[in-house]
Amino acid sequence: MASSLTPRERALRRLPHPYSLALRLRDAGVADDQMCTYLDIDAHALPPLLELADAKLTAALRITADNESKDQP
């Protein structure tokens, strides 16, 4: 089953839940005020949270890619 997941999905699953959820909500087009409600955060905290989540996703994608290249013969 894991092999059928996209690299992005595998990377999202590596993130702490709040970051993964924030990115998934944004990807789904959920309005900012609704995202804040789901995440139980103030509206002023959303932009930095998303920025940090993006950075963590980038790092997780890099790690996922590195791990996949090591698995290749």
Side-chain angles (χ1 to χ4, degrees), residues 6-15 56-57 60-61 64:
T6 65
R8 187 173 194 279
E9 179 60 29
R10 285 193 297 276
L12 279 167
R13 290 179 180 207
R14 294 175 60 98
L15 299 182
K56 287 184 175 289
L57 179 61
L61 281 166
T64 299

Side-chain angles (χ1 to χ4, degrees), residues 2-64:
S3 63
S4 65
L5 299 175
T6 65
R8 187 173 194 279
E9 179 60 29
R10 285 193 297 276
L12 279 167
R13 290 179 180 207
R14 294 175 60 98
L15 299 182
H17 183 70
Y19 300 116
S20 177
L21 179 58
L23 293 173
R24 290 172 191 277
L25 291 170
R26 183 185 65 189
D27 291 349
V30 174
D32 288 358
D33 61 328
Q34 290 266 307
M35 287 177 63
C36 291
T37 300
Y38 291 142
L39 297 166
D40 194 26
I41 60 171
D42 185 76
H44 292 55
L46 184 60
L49 177 92
L50 289 171
E51 185 176 331
L52 185 55
D54 280 327
K56 287 184 175 289
L57 179 61
T58 298
L61 281 166
R62 199 171 304 126
I63 291 167
T64 299

